[in-house]
Amino acid sequence: MYVYNDFDEAFVRERVAQFRGQVERRVSGALTEDEFKPLRLMNGLYLQLHAYMLRVAVPYGTLNPVQMRQLAYLAETYDKGYGHFTTRQNIQYNWPKLADVPDMLEALADVGMHAIQTSGNTIRNVTADHFAGAAADEIEDPRPVAELLRQWSTDHPEFQFLPRKFKIAVTGSPTDRAVTKAHDIGLRMVRDASGAPGFEVIVGGGLGRTPMVGKVLREFLPKADLLPYCEAIVSVYNLLGRRDNKYKARIKITVHENGIDTIRSLVEAKFAELRPVFAGFDQQLLTQIEGHFAPPTFRSAPTDSYEAARLANPAFRSWSDTNLSAHKAEGYAIVSISIKKHGATPGDATADQMRVMADLAERFGHGELRISHEQNVILPHVHKSDLAAVYAVLREADLATANIGLVSDIIACPGMDYCALATARSIPVAQDIATRFEELKLEHEVGPLKIKISGCINACGHHHVGHIGILGLDRAGVENYQITLGGDGSEDAAIGKRAGPGFSADEIVPAIERLVLGYLDLRAAPDETFLQTYRRLGIEPFKAILYPAAATEEKANAA
Amino acid sequence: MSRHFTPKVITANDLMLGDAIWLTEDDRWTRDIAEAELIEDEAHATIRLLFAQAQPEIAVGPYLADAKPGTTGPQPIHFREAFRTRGPSNYAHGKQVEV
Ligand code: SF4
């Protein structure tokens, strides 16, 4: 893992000291709120419905046990004993007091963390495949590149006041687990004809008010050209992006309005100019960074105890069926710890749970943890012979829910329970759907299904790319939920289609139940997933299930 | 005839704690909306908002929110404002347990 050097350390400490002074000046009245607000946002501090919220960056979702324990300490000392993992691989604290925030930032700096650029019109925390460095299908660990991007973008003098926020995601595998096509820049590692690794560069993806799937700007970019090329993209956007209208300011609109070909020629021209200027220093830095991400020394040991435990314990078998993924090293598995216990708040972990996960990473996981954009925690490197022990500890900590990728593994943004921008709640909807499907005992039969919920059009809950998306709206002072179908956040990214009129808070869970049960009748075979059935049949049969009255009426009219 | 004015309360977030506060008739800030001043006149609302805005050391982002009279005092109308009087629905945190 990357370890701060003296420069990083000094920089982060200085920012904490500056912020401490800014808070003091705000409290004394020397700074107005208008002056203070941009300063607090630069340090990840928002003011929400019930309290301040501090958003802490977890760069490319990677944490070590010491950092995880520090997050637990913050949760306990300055919050209400828990933290919320977000769809951008960050962690948010919902209840800090203004006077405590400088101390929180200081405590983060102690473990090489910060909250810088988790807000504002800057390049935000770079996200990455949460299986990075472990996935069997990976070409290369994308995190050194993500760290290089983090260092380049942090406090980049030219990019502190972009037209709008800017999000970069990177995956080292052709299988896209980082939703790269829904980012301002998406980087997907591929090989060229000679087998050399490089990136497919995708630009102009994004969700929100105007959802768009990113477009390919360069089919193959050699790895060594990454930084000058990204700088070229961001500088072109910085000049061309609209500052007159907040809703048209993201690069997706710039690409849409100017056309990908124009953007491409501008970027290539700028790139030609920038490339010689970089003069190889970025590559030296990258080599240094790569040293920090050397893979752990994997051990080789028999795995028969794992097979035996599977046979002996059905609960363990069920958990290992859903929560494990293929690892690149022989005898190893990737463990996804579900932070989606049925009925609990998606993404919320208590301080005790954080400590348990930190201990597990230390004892069994080569000291590594990841936060996924799906709001779960990953132990990327666990030897199969340790899985039964890991499972037993998780069970004790109420962390052994076997639901990864299933109906109840729902992404939900904080919605109107916390967020000042929300138009409706999302957490209770997620809680109720998960609870209902637990009662029905059906989710394993239903199989892979991604439900994603946002509490407003900003789409932090990624509802557009949910197989089933739910968007909470305010319709004449009442919460109302709109369903979209057929979205997909993978390498085959697609934006979901609106199914029809929205549902009230009372109707939304029964509507989802109808939809999922209806799919079971529609699927051609038990292994045809919801998304596959949708793609085979289109939206109409699902509409008929969601709106039975309208369907009957139509039939009657046709007769 | 002047157009109908929906009664209002003045609300904001507390600078130090960040939680919801309401302005009372006797110029205090309260954490219980029932103690807030229910403003039924548009001109008075403007004056009271200016008064609230002049207290940046206490109140962040004061605004007028629709309200109605209740048995114990003003009550929120919109569900967003109702949540602000209680706290989140996923945990017993915030005003529902603190006030
Ligand atoms: S989608 Fe809307 S409600 Fe949800 S966190 Fe984002 S801004 Fe807030």
Side-chain angles (χ1 to χ4, degrees), chain A residues 26 48 50 52 80 98 345 348 417-418 420 423 425 428 474 477 479, chain B residues 13 15-16 18-19 56 78-80 83 87 89-91 93 98:
Chain A
R26 173 67 181 93
Q48 300 210 322
H50 315 296
Y52 285 96
K80 295 186 187 291
L98 181 60
T345 303
D348 279 9
D417 285 306
Y418 300 91
T423 42
R425 286 174 296 174
D474 171 352
E479 288 169 298
Chain B
N13 287 76
L15 172 66
M16 299 309 289
D19 65 333
H78 194 276
F79 60 91
R80 181 183 196 271
F83 290 142
S89 51
N90 61 331
Y91 299 114
H93 287 161
E98 285 162 10

PDB file of all heavy atoms in Angstrom, chain A residues 26 48 50 52 80 98 345 348 417-418 420 423 425 428 474 477 479, chain B residues 13 15-16 18-19 56 78-80 83 87 89-91 93 98:
ATOM      1  N   ARG A  26     -14.134  31.532  11.619  1.00  0.00           N
ATOM      2  CA  ARG A  26     -15.582  31.491  11.403  1.00  0.00           C
ATOM      3  C   ARG A  26     -16.308  31.676  12.732  1.00  0.00           C
ATOM      4  O   ARG A  26     -17.272  32.434  12.821  1.00  0.00           O
ATOM      5  CB  ARG A  26     -15.986  30.156  10.748  1.00  0.00           C
ATOM      6  CG  ARG A  26     -17.497  29.933  10.619  1.00  0.00           C
ATOM      7  CD  ARG A  26     -18.120  30.914   9.633  1.00  0.00           C
ATOM      8  NE  ARG A  26     -19.569  30.725   9.505  1.00  0.00           N
ATOM      9  CZ  ARG A  26     -20.474  31.393  10.216  1.00  0.00           C
ATOM     10  NH1 ARG A  26     -20.096  32.271  11.123  1.00  0.00           N
ATOM     11  NH2 ARG A  26     -21.763  31.179  10.017  1.00  0.00           N
ATOM     12  N   GLN A  48     -25.677  19.368   6.509  1.00  0.00           N
ATOM     13  CA  GLN A  48     -26.834  18.632   5.996  1.00  0.00           C
ATOM     14  C   GLN A  48     -28.098  18.934   6.801  1.00  0.00           C
ATOM     15  O   GLN A  48     -28.171  19.948   7.472  1.00  0.00           O
ATOM     16  CB  GLN A  48     -26.512  17.149   6.007  1.00  0.00           C
ATOM     17  CG  GLN A  48     -25.310  16.823   5.131  1.00  0.00           C
ATOM     18  CD  GLN A  48     -25.408  15.429   4.561  1.00  0.00           C
ATOM     19  OE1 GLN A  48     -25.854  14.507   5.198  1.00  0.00           O
ATOM     20  NE2 GLN A  48     -24.998  15.260   3.346  1.00  0.00           N
ATOM     21  N   HIS A  50     -29.523  17.509   9.526  1.00  0.00           N
ATOM     22  CA  HIS A  50     -29.522  17.457  10.983  1.00  0.00           C
ATOM     23  C   HIS A  50     -28.177  17.799  11.606  1.00  0.00           C
ATOM     24  O   HIS A  50     -28.065  17.871  12.824  1.00  0.00           O
ATOM     25  CB  HIS A  50     -29.911  16.063  11.483  1.00  0.00           C
ATOM     26  CG  HIS A  50     -31.084  15.480  10.783  1.00  0.00           C
ATOM     27  ND1 HIS A  50     -32.326  16.040  10.850  1.00  0.00           N
ATOM     28  CD2 HIS A  50     -31.198  14.401   9.968  1.00  0.00           C
ATOM     29  CE1 HIS A  50     -33.168  15.323  10.111  1.00  0.00           C
ATOM     30  NE2 HIS A  50     -32.501  14.328   9.563  1.00  0.00           N
ATOM     31  N   TYR A  52     -23.556  18.558  10.624  1.00  0.00           N
ATOM     32  CA  TYR A  52     -22.484  18.586   9.632  1.00  0.00           C
ATOM     33  C   TYR A  52     -22.217  17.158   9.170  1.00  0.00           C
ATOM     34  O   TYR A  52     -22.561  16.186   9.866  1.00  0.00           O
ATOM     35  CB  TYR A  52     -21.200  19.157  10.248  1.00  0.00           C
ATOM     36  CG  TYR A  52     -21.246  20.655  10.435  1.00  0.00           C
ATOM     37  CD1 TYR A  52     -21.615  21.216  11.656  1.00  0.00           C
ATOM     38  CD2 TYR A  52     -20.921  21.501   9.387  1.00  0.00           C
ATOM     39  CE1 TYR A  52     -21.668  22.590  11.826  1.00  0.00           C
ATOM     40  CE2 TYR A  52     -20.966  22.886   9.551  1.00  0.00           C
ATOM     41  CZ  TYR A  52     -21.341  23.417  10.765  1.00  0.00           C
ATOM     42  OH  TYR A  52     -21.391  24.774  10.923  1.00  0.00           O
ATOM     43  N   LYS A  80     -21.696   9.048  16.172  1.00  0.00           N
ATOM     44  CA  LYS A  80     -22.560   8.247  17.028  1.00  0.00           C
ATOM     45  C   LYS A  80     -22.213   6.758  16.935  1.00  0.00           C
ATOM     46  O   LYS A  80     -23.085   5.894  16.907  1.00  0.00           O
ATOM     47  CB  LYS A  80     -24.022   8.496  16.681  1.00  0.00           C
ATOM     48  CG  LYS A  80     -24.442   9.941  16.973  1.00  0.00           C
ATOM     49  CD  LYS A  80     -25.918  10.165  16.777  1.00  0.00           C
ATOM     50  CE  LYS A  80     -26.291  11.631  16.904  1.00  0.00           C
ATOM     51  NZ  LYS A  80     -26.162  12.182  18.266  1.00  0.00           N
ATOM     52  N   LEU A  98     -18.779  21.138  14.570  1.00  0.00           N
ATOM     53  CA  LEU A  98     -17.820  21.985  13.860  1.00  0.00           C
ATOM     54  C   LEU A  98     -16.477  22.082  14.588  1.00  0.00           C
ATOM     55  O   LEU A  98     -15.411  21.925  13.987  1.00  0.00           O
ATOM     56  CB  LEU A  98     -18.415  23.387  13.651  1.00  0.00           C
ATOM     57  CG  LEU A  98     -17.528  24.379  12.902  1.00  0.00           C
ATOM     58  CD1 LEU A  98     -17.179  23.877  11.507  1.00  0.00           C
ATOM     59  CD2 LEU A  98     -18.203  25.748  12.811  1.00  0.00           C
ATOM     60  N   THR A 345     -29.093  -0.295   7.529  1.00  0.00           N
ATOM     61  CA  THR A 345     -28.822   0.775   6.568  1.00  0.00           C
ATOM     62  C   THR A 345     -27.663   0.375   5.654  1.00  0.00           C
ATOM     63  O   THR A 345     -26.571   0.085   6.155  1.00  0.00           O
ATOM     64  CB  THR A 345     -28.444   2.065   7.326  1.00  0.00           C
ATOM     65  OG1 THR A 345     -29.511   2.389   8.217  1.00  0.00           O
ATOM     66  CG2 THR A 345     -28.223   3.215   6.351  1.00  0.00           C
ATOM     67  N   ASP A 348     -23.636   1.184   6.324  1.00  0.00           N
ATOM     68  CA  ASP A 348     -23.290   1.632   7.672  1.00  0.00           C
ATOM     69  C   ASP A 348     -22.579   0.529   8.442  1.00  0.00           C
ATOM     70  O   ASP A 348     -23.097  -0.580   8.567  1.00  0.00           O
ATOM     71  CB  ASP A 348     -24.548   2.018   8.464  1.00  0.00           C
ATOM     72  CG  ASP A 348     -25.031   3.412   8.115  1.00  0.00           C
ATOM     73  OD1 ASP A 348     -24.495   3.997   7.144  1.00  0.00           O
ATOM     74  OD2 ASP A 348     -25.932   3.906   8.809  1.00  0.00           O
ATOM     75  N   ASP A 417     -33.003  11.187   4.739  1.00  0.00           N
ATOM     76  CA  ASP A 417     -32.702  10.987   6.151  1.00  0.00           C
ATOM     77  C   ASP A 417     -31.519  11.837   6.586  1.00  0.00           C
ATOM     78  O   ASP A 417     -31.347  12.094   7.775  1.00  0.00           O
ATOM     79  CB  ASP A 417     -32.454   9.507   6.443  1.00  0.00           C
ATOM     80  CG  ASP A 417     -33.772   8.750   6.443  1.00  0.00           C
ATOM     81  OD1 ASP A 417     -34.670   9.172   7.189  1.00  0.00           O
ATOM     82  OD2 ASP A 417     -33.912   7.798   5.667  1.00  0.00           O
ATOM     83  N   TYR A 418     -30.687  12.254   5.629  1.00  0.00           N
ATOM     84  CA  TYR A 418     -29.519  13.076   5.962  1.00  0.00           C
ATOM     85  C   TYR A 418     -29.264  14.208   4.983  1.00  0.00           C
ATOM     86  O   TYR A 418     -28.877  15.298   5.365  1.00  0.00           O
ATOM     87  CB  TYR A 418     -28.243  12.203   6.042  1.00  0.00           C
ATOM     88  CG  TYR A 418     -28.366  11.141   7.100  1.00  0.00           C
ATOM     89  CD1 TYR A 418     -28.871   9.880   6.798  1.00  0.00           C
ATOM     90  CD2 TYR A 418     -28.042  11.435   8.427  1.00  0.00           C
ATOM     91  CE1 TYR A 418     -29.040   8.929   7.786  1.00  0.00           C
ATOM     92  CE2 TYR A 418     -28.210  10.491   9.425  1.00  0.00           C
ATOM     93  CZ  TYR A 418     -28.709   9.225   9.096  1.00  0.00           C
ATOM     94  OH  TYR A 418     -28.894   8.302  10.077  1.00  0.00           O
ATOM     95  N   ALA A 420     -29.188  17.183   2.405  1.00  0.00           N
ATOM     96  CA  ALA A 420     -29.944  18.422   2.247  1.00  0.00           C
ATOM     97  C   ALA A 420     -30.496  18.587   0.834  1.00  0.00           C
ATOM     98  O   ALA A 420     -31.400  19.377   0.609  1.00  0.00           O
ATOM     99  CB  ALA A 420     -29.060  19.612   2.610  1.00  0.00           C
ATOM    100  N   THR A 423     -34.877  14.749  -2.409  1.00  0.00           N
ATOM    101  CA  THR A 423     -36.294  15.009  -2.615  1.00  0.00           C
ATOM    102  C   THR A 423     -37.153  13.925  -1.955  1.00  0.00           C
ATOM    103  O   THR A 423     -38.370  14.053  -1.892  1.00  0.00           O
ATOM    104  CB  THR A 423     -36.617  15.091  -4.118  1.00  0.00           C
ATOM    105  OG1 THR A 423     -35.921  14.054  -4.811  1.00  0.00           O
ATOM    106  CG2 THR A 423     -36.172  16.422  -4.690  1.00  0.00           C
ATOM    107  N   ARG A 425     -36.737  10.051   0.791  1.00  0.00           N
ATOM    108  CA  ARG A 425     -35.835   9.141   1.501  1.00  0.00           C
ATOM    109  C   ARG A 425     -35.471   7.953   0.616  1.00  0.00           C
ATOM    110  O   ARG A 425     -36.264   7.543  -0.234  1.00  0.00           O
ATOM    111  CB  ARG A 425     -36.512   8.626   2.773  1.00  0.00           C
ATOM    112  CG  ARG A 425     -36.585   9.664   3.866  1.00  0.00           C
ATOM    113  CD  ARG A 425     -37.377   9.176   5.039  1.00  0.00           C
ATOM    114  NE  ARG A 425     -38.778   8.940   4.659  1.00  0.00           N
ATOM    115  CZ  ARG A 425     -39.683   8.394   5.457  1.00  0.00           C
ATOM    116  NH1 ARG A 425     -39.341   8.008   6.662  1.00  0.00           N
ATOM    117  NH2 ARG A 425     -40.915   8.236   5.043  1.00  0.00           N
ATOM    118  N   PRO A 428     -35.008   3.953   4.040  1.00  0.00           N
ATOM    119  CA  PRO A 428     -36.110   3.086   4.473  1.00  0.00           C
ATOM    120  C   PRO A 428     -36.622   2.178   3.348  1.00  0.00           C
ATOM    121  O   PRO A 428     -37.052   1.054   3.613  1.00  0.00           O
ATOM    122  CB  PRO A 428     -37.203   4.063   4.907  1.00  0.00           C
ATOM    123  CG  PRO A 428     -36.523   5.357   5.113  1.00  0.00           C
ATOM    124  CD  PRO A 428     -35.328   5.374   4.239  1.00  0.00           C
ATOM    125  N   ASP A 474     -40.193  14.266  -4.999  1.00  0.00           N
ATOM    126  CA  ASP A 474     -41.202  14.965  -4.224  1.00  0.00           C
ATOM    127  C   ASP A 474     -42.305  15.354  -5.202  1.00  0.00           C
ATOM    128  O   ASP A 474     -42.100  16.197  -6.070  1.00  0.00           O
ATOM    129  CB  ASP A 474     -40.533  16.213  -3.611  1.00  0.00           C
ATOM    130  CG  ASP A 474     -41.524  17.154  -2.949  1.00  0.00           C
ATOM    131  OD1 ASP A 474     -42.748  16.942  -3.069  1.00  0.00           O
ATOM    132  OD2 ASP A 474     -41.069  18.123  -2.313  1.00  0.00           O
ATOM    133  N   GLY A 477     -45.384  17.584  -2.511  1.00  0.00           N
ATOM    134  CA  GLY A 477     -45.223  17.469  -1.069  1.00  0.00           C
ATOM    135  C   GLY A 477     -45.364  16.065  -0.521  1.00  0.00           C
ATOM    136  O   GLY A 477     -45.528  15.883   0.686  1.00  0.00           O
ATOM    137  N   GLU A 479     -43.648  11.945  -0.855  1.00  0.00           N
ATOM    138  CA  GLU A 479     -42.587  11.124  -1.439  1.00  0.00           C
ATOM    139  C   GLU A 479     -43.163  10.202  -2.510  1.00  0.00           C
ATOM    140  O   GLU A 479     -44.208   9.572  -2.310  1.00  0.00           O
ATOM    141  CB  GLU A 479     -41.913  10.266  -0.359  1.00  0.00           C
ATOM    142  CG  GLU A 479     -41.040  11.081   0.572  1.00  0.00           C
ATOM    143  CD  GLU A 479     -40.595  10.274   1.776  1.00  0.00           C
ATOM    144  OE1 GLU A 479     -41.464   9.850   2.553  1.00  0.00           O
ATOM    145  OE2 GLU A 479     -39.377  10.068   1.929  1.00  0.00           O
TER     146      GLU A 479
ATOM    147  N   ASN B  13     -29.607  26.189  10.397  1.00  0.00           N
ATOM    148  CA  ASN B  13     -28.794  25.203  11.100  1.00  0.00           C
ATOM    149  C   ASN B  13     -27.907  25.940  12.096  1.00  0.00           C
ATOM    150  O   ASN B  13     -27.408  27.036  11.808  1.00  0.00           O
ATOM    151  CB  ASN B  13     -27.911  24.415  10.130  1.00  0.00           C
ATOM    152  CG  ASN B  13     -28.702  23.419   9.307  1.00  0.00           C
ATOM    153  OD1 ASN B  13     -29.391  23.794   8.370  1.00  0.00           O
ATOM    154  ND2 ASN B  13     -28.617  22.152   9.662  1.00  0.00           N
ATOM    155  N   LEU B  15     -24.686  26.943  13.982  1.00  0.00           N
ATOM    156  CA  LEU B  15     -23.299  26.993  13.495  1.00  0.00           C
ATOM    157  C   LEU B  15     -22.419  25.919  14.136  1.00  0.00           C
ATOM    158  O   LEU B  15     -21.671  25.232  13.450  1.00  0.00           O
ATOM    159  CB  LEU B  15     -22.684  28.370  13.752  1.00  0.00           C
ATOM    160  CG  LEU B  15     -21.176  28.458  13.440  1.00  0.00           C
ATOM    161  CD1 LEU B  15     -20.919  28.288  11.943  1.00  0.00           C
ATOM    162  CD2 LEU B  15     -20.591  29.775  13.932  1.00  0.00           C
ATOM    163  N   MET B  16     -22.486  25.744  15.433  1.00  0.00           N
ATOM    164  CA  MET B  16     -21.552  24.852  16.104  1.00  0.00           C
ATOM    165  C   MET B  16     -21.961  23.386  15.993  1.00  0.00           C
ATOM    166  O   MET B  16     -21.132  22.517  15.764  1.00  0.00           O
ATOM    167  CB  MET B  16     -21.405  25.237  17.586  1.00  0.00           C
ATOM    168  CG  MET B  16     -20.872  26.640  17.816  1.00  0.00           C
ATOM    169  SD  MET B  16     -19.356  27.014  16.897  1.00  0.00           S
ATOM    170  CE  MET B  16     -18.173  25.998  17.779  1.00  0.00           C
ATOM    171  N   GLY B  18     -24.688  22.224  14.012  1.00  0.00           N
ATOM    172  CA  GLY B  18     -25.182  21.891  12.682  1.00  0.00           C
ATOM    173  C   GLY B  18     -26.633  21.468  12.651  1.00  0.00           C
ATOM    174  O   GLY B  18     -27.187  21.222  11.582  1.00  0.00           O
ATOM    175  N   ASP B  19     -27.292  21.379  13.814  1.00  0.00           N
ATOM    176  CA  ASP B  19     -28.666  20.866  13.814  1.00  0.00           C
ATOM    177  C   ASP B  19     -29.678  21.974  13.517  1.00  0.00           C
ATOM    178  O   ASP B  19     -29.330  23.151  13.441  1.00  0.00           O
ATOM    179  CB  ASP B  19     -28.979  20.150  15.136  1.00  0.00           C
ATOM    180  CG  ASP B  19     -28.960  21.098  16.313  1.00  0.00           C
ATOM    181  OD1 ASP B  19     -28.248  22.127  16.241  1.00  0.00           O
ATOM    182  OD2 ASP B  19     -29.648  20.817  17.312  1.00  0.00           O
ATOM    183  N   PRO B  56     -25.072  35.555  12.063  1.00  0.00           N
ATOM    184  CA  PRO B  56     -24.300  34.465  11.457  1.00  0.00           C
ATOM    185  C   PRO B  56     -23.487  33.691  12.484  1.00  0.00           C
ATOM    186  O   PRO B  56     -23.044  32.580  12.200  1.00  0.00           O
ATOM    187  CB  PRO B  56     -23.381  35.188  10.459  1.00  0.00           C
ATOM    188  CG  PRO B  56     -23.238  36.566  11.009  1.00  0.00           C
ATOM    189  CD  PRO B  56     -24.561  36.872  11.653  1.00  0.00           C
ATOM    190  N   HIS B  78     -44.224  20.622   5.016  1.00  0.00           N
ATOM    191  CA  HIS B  78     -43.548  19.711   4.089  1.00  0.00           C
ATOM    192  C   HIS B  78     -42.814  18.603   4.854  1.00  0.00           C
ATOM    193  O   HIS B  78     -42.315  18.828   5.952  1.00  0.00           O
ATOM    194  CB  HIS B  78     -42.555  20.496   3.238  1.00  0.00           C
ATOM    195  CG  HIS B  78     -42.070  19.724   2.053  1.00  0.00           C
ATOM    196  ND1 HIS B  78     -41.033  18.835   2.149  1.00  0.00           N
ATOM    197  CD2 HIS B  78     -42.497  19.676   0.769  1.00  0.00           C
ATOM    198  CE1 HIS B  78     -40.823  18.281   0.957  1.00  0.00           C
ATOM    199  NE2 HIS B  78     -41.709  18.775   0.097  1.00  0.00           N
ATOM    200  N   PHE B  79     -42.728  17.415   4.238  1.00  0.00           N
ATOM    201  CA  PHE B  79     -42.088  16.299   4.956  1.00  0.00           C
ATOM    202  C   PHE B  79     -40.614  16.550   5.239  1.00  0.00           C
ATOM    203  O   PHE B  79     -40.071  16.098   6.239  1.00  0.00           O
ATOM    204  CB  PHE B  79     -42.311  14.959   4.244  1.00  0.00           C
ATOM    205  CG  PHE B  79     -41.782  14.841   2.833  1.00  0.00           C
ATOM    206  CD1 PHE B  79     -40.504  14.367   2.592  1.00  0.00           C
ATOM    207  CD2 PHE B  79     -42.583  15.169   1.740  1.00  0.00           C
ATOM    208  CE1 PHE B  79     -40.021  14.228   1.293  1.00  0.00           C
ATOM    209  CE2 PHE B  79     -42.103  15.043   0.439  1.00  0.00           C
ATOM    210  CZ  PHE B  79     -40.828  14.574   0.210  1.00  0.00           C
ATOM    211  N   ARG B  80     -39.963  17.329   4.372  1.00  0.00           N
ATOM    212  CA  ARG B  80     -38.551  17.650   4.641  1.00  0.00           C
ATOM    213  C   ARG B  80     -38.427  18.407   5.962  1.00  0.00           C
ATOM    214  O   ARG B  80     -37.557  18.109   6.796  1.00  0.00           O
ATOM    215  CB  ARG B  80     -38.010  18.507   3.495  1.00  0.00           C
ATOM    216  CG  ARG B  80     -36.558  18.889   3.626  1.00  0.00           C
ATOM    217  CD  ARG B  80     -36.169  19.792   2.455  1.00  0.00           C
ATOM    218  NE  ARG B  80     -34.734  19.901   2.293  1.00  0.00           N
ATOM    219  CZ  ARG B  80     -33.990  20.811   2.907  1.00  0.00           C
ATOM    220  NH1 ARG B  80     -34.542  21.661   3.753  1.00  0.00           N
ATOM    221  NH2 ARG B  80     -32.688  20.866   2.682  1.00  0.00           N
ATOM    222  N   PHE B  83     -38.953  16.097   8.880  1.00  0.00           N
ATOM    223  CA  PHE B  83     -37.753  15.317   9.225  1.00  0.00           C
ATOM    224  C   PHE B  83     -36.780  16.167  10.045  1.00  0.00           C
ATOM    225  O   PHE B  83     -36.132  15.675  10.964  1.00  0.00           O
ATOM    226  CB  PHE B  83     -37.030  14.822   7.967  1.00  0.00           C
ATOM    227  CG  PHE B  83     -37.788  13.760   7.222  1.00  0.00           C
ATOM    228  CD1 PHE B  83     -37.796  13.724   5.835  1.00  0.00           C
ATOM    229  CD2 PHE B  83     -38.497  12.782   7.908  1.00  0.00           C
ATOM    230  CE1 PHE B  83     -38.497  12.758   5.145  1.00  0.00           C
ATOM    231  CE2 PHE B  83     -39.204  11.808   7.228  1.00  0.00           C
ATOM    232  CZ  PHE B  83     -39.203  11.794   5.849  1.00  0.00           C
ATOM    233  N   GLY B  87     -35.232  14.128  12.988  1.00  0.00           N
ATOM    234  CA  GLY B  87     -33.984  13.397  12.777  1.00  0.00           C
ATOM    235  C   GLY B  87     -34.226  12.299  11.764  1.00  0.00           C
ATOM    236  O   GLY B  87     -35.313  12.207  11.192  1.00  0.00           O
ATOM    237  N   SER B  89     -34.818   8.614   9.885  1.00  0.00           N
ATOM    238  CA  SER B  89     -35.772   7.543  10.203  1.00  0.00           C
ATOM    239  C   SER B  89     -35.091   6.192  10.394  1.00  0.00           C
ATOM    240  O   SER B  89     -35.714   5.252  10.835  1.00  0.00           O
ATOM    241  CB  SER B  89     -36.862   7.454   9.125  1.00  0.00           C
ATOM    242  OG  SER B  89     -36.299   7.380   7.834  1.00  0.00           O
ATOM    243  N   ASN B  90     -33.794   6.086  10.090  1.00  0.00           N
ATOM    244  CA  ASN B  90     -33.152   4.775  10.226  1.00  0.00           C
ATOM    245  C   ASN B  90     -32.544   4.526  11.604  1.00  0.00           C
ATOM    246  O   ASN B  90     -32.235   3.387  11.939  1.00  0.00           O
ATOM    247  CB  ASN B  90     -32.089   4.577   9.132  1.00  0.00           C
ATOM    248  CG  ASN B  90     -30.975   5.595   9.180  1.00  0.00           C
ATOM    249  OD1 ASN B  90     -31.183   6.718   9.612  1.00  0.00           O
ATOM    250  ND2 ASN B  90     -29.794   5.210   8.748  1.00  0.00           N
ATOM    251  N   TYR B  91     -32.345   5.564  12.388  1.00  0.00           N
ATOM    252  CA  TYR B  91     -31.859   5.392  13.764  1.00  0.00           C
ATOM    253  C   TYR B  91     -32.608   6.369  14.664  1.00  0.00           C
ATOM    254  O   TYR B  91     -33.053   7.418  14.205  1.00  0.00           O
ATOM    255  CB  TYR B  91     -30.373   5.742  13.898  1.00  0.00           C
ATOM    256  CG  TYR B  91     -29.425   4.903  13.078  1.00  0.00           C
ATOM    257  CD1 TYR B  91     -28.693   5.466  12.036  1.00  0.00           C
ATOM    258  CD2 TYR B  91     -29.241   3.550  13.357  1.00  0.00           C
ATOM    259  CE1 TYR B  91     -27.805   4.708  11.296  1.00  0.00           C
ATOM    260  CE2 TYR B  91     -28.360   2.790  12.615  1.00  0.00           C
ATOM    261  CZ  TYR B  91     -27.652   3.368  11.583  1.00  0.00           C
ATOM    262  OH  TYR B  91     -26.770   2.624  10.845  1.00  0.00           O
ATOM    263  N   HIS B  93     -31.787   8.832  16.359  1.00  0.00           N
ATOM    264  CA  HIS B  93     -30.766   9.846  16.570  1.00  0.00           C
ATOM    265  C   HIS B  93     -31.388  11.217  16.321  1.00  0.00           C
ATOM    266  O   HIS B  93     -32.415  11.325  15.682  1.00  0.00           O
ATOM    267  CB  HIS B  93     -29.614   9.669  15.570  1.00  0.00           C
ATOM    268  CG  HIS B  93     -28.724   8.494  15.851  1.00  0.00           C
ATOM    269  ND1 HIS B  93     -27.907   7.947  14.907  1.00  0.00           N
ATOM    270  CD2 HIS B  93     -28.533   7.773  16.982  1.00  0.00           C
ATOM    271  CE1 HIS B  93     -27.235   6.930  15.430  1.00  0.00           C
ATOM    272  NE2 HIS B  93     -27.595   6.798  16.672  1.00  0.00           N
ATOM    273  N   GLU B  98     -33.329  13.720  21.423  1.00  0.00           N
ATOM    274  CA  GLU B  98     -32.554  14.715  22.174  1.00  0.00           C
ATOM    275  C   GLU B  98     -33.390  15.886  22.688  1.00  0.00           C
ATOM    276  O   GLU B  98     -32.987  16.575  23.612  1.00  0.00           O
ATOM    277  CB  GLU B  98     -31.421  15.269  21.294  1.00  0.00           C
ATOM    278  CG  GLU B  98     -30.277  14.280  21.152  1.00  0.00           C
ATOM    279  CD  GLU B  98     -29.380  14.596  19.971  1.00  0.00           C
ATOM    280  OE1 GLU B  98     -29.521  15.665  19.363  1.00  0.00           O
ATOM    281  OE2 GLU B  98     -28.522  13.740  19.658  1.00  0.00           O
TER     282      GLU B  98
END
